[in-house]
Amino acid sequence: MLELPTDLPADLAPLSWLIGVWEGTGVIEYTAGDQRFEGEFTHRVSFSHDGTGHLNYSATGWLAAPDGQESTPLVSETGYWRLSRPATAADAGPALLPPAEQQAARTVDDVEQLRAASGGFPIEVSLAHSDGVLELYLGEINGPRVDIATDAIVRGAGGKDYGAASRMYGLVDGHLLWAWDIAALGADMASHASARLAKV
C-alpha cells in the first residue's frame, strides 16, 4: 500500500522519492567505431512538481577539465515524468484544450489500480535535449528503483545518429545512482554513462 504525502497529488506518490535537486559526479565510457569517449563529469538533476500529476525534470552536465581550464558543457535535457494511465475527458489536452469534464481528485486507491503484477507502476518519461533530440521512455518505477527504455526517439535531419537508450535510477544509501545505456553513432546498445548524486 502506498504511503501518500499530504502535499502531493496521488499520482505522484510512487515518484515522490525523486523530488529534489541532486548533484554529483559520474563517468562516461562509450566506444563507437574507432572513437572512444571517456571522462569524468559533474551532473545536476532536478525533479519538481507544480501541483499537477507529473514531475518536472531538468538535468545538466559538464565534462571535467584539467586544473585551470573551463569545463565543457554537455547536452542538457528537460522533460516530464508521470505514471502511465489512460487519458480521460477530465484531463486537459491535447495542446491547450481544457478538460471536457470536471474530475474528482484522484486517490491512493485510484493509483493502486495502476500497479503492475511485478508490484511496480508503469511510467512515461518524455525528454527534450538541447541538441534537438526528443525521447519517449516507457518503463516502471518499483519502490526506489526506475527502469525505462526508449519507445521513440525523434531527431532533426542534421542530428547525430541516436537509435535507442535505456536508463536505470535507484536510491541507495540516500544517494541517487543512475546508469544510461545508448545505441548511437553506429554502435550497438552499450553502457554510456553512470553517476552517483547526493540531494542538495
Side-chain angles (χ1 to χ4, degrees), residues 38-53:
E38 57 186 6
E40 294 185 7
F41 67 99
T42 58
H43 197 51
R44 186 176 198 272
V45 173
S46 172
F47 291 93
S48 63
H49 70 94
D50 55 12
T52 58

Side-chain angles (χ1 to χ4, degrees), residues 25-102:
T25 60
V27 293
I28 297 168
E29 293 181 335
Y30 191 70
T31 301
D34 294 333
Q35 192 160 17
R36 175 78 174 162
F37 301 90
E38 57 186 6
E40 294 185 7
F41 67 99
T42 58
H43 197 51
R44 186 176 198 272
V45 173
S46 172
F47 291 93
S48 63
H49 70 94
D50 55 12
T52 58
H54 64 270
L55 291 183
N56 303 306
Y57 168 85
S58 65
T60 53
W62 300 268
L63 192 63
D67 289 340
Q69 297 183 23
E70 286 191 27
S71 298
T72 302
L74 302 172
V75 172
S76 62
E77 55 187 11
T78 186
Y80 304 95
W81 292 51
R82 71 180 73 243
L83 291 186
S84 182
R85 66 172 178 84
T88 69
D91 292 309
L96 294 178
L97 298 178
E101 297 176 1
Q102 189 165 0

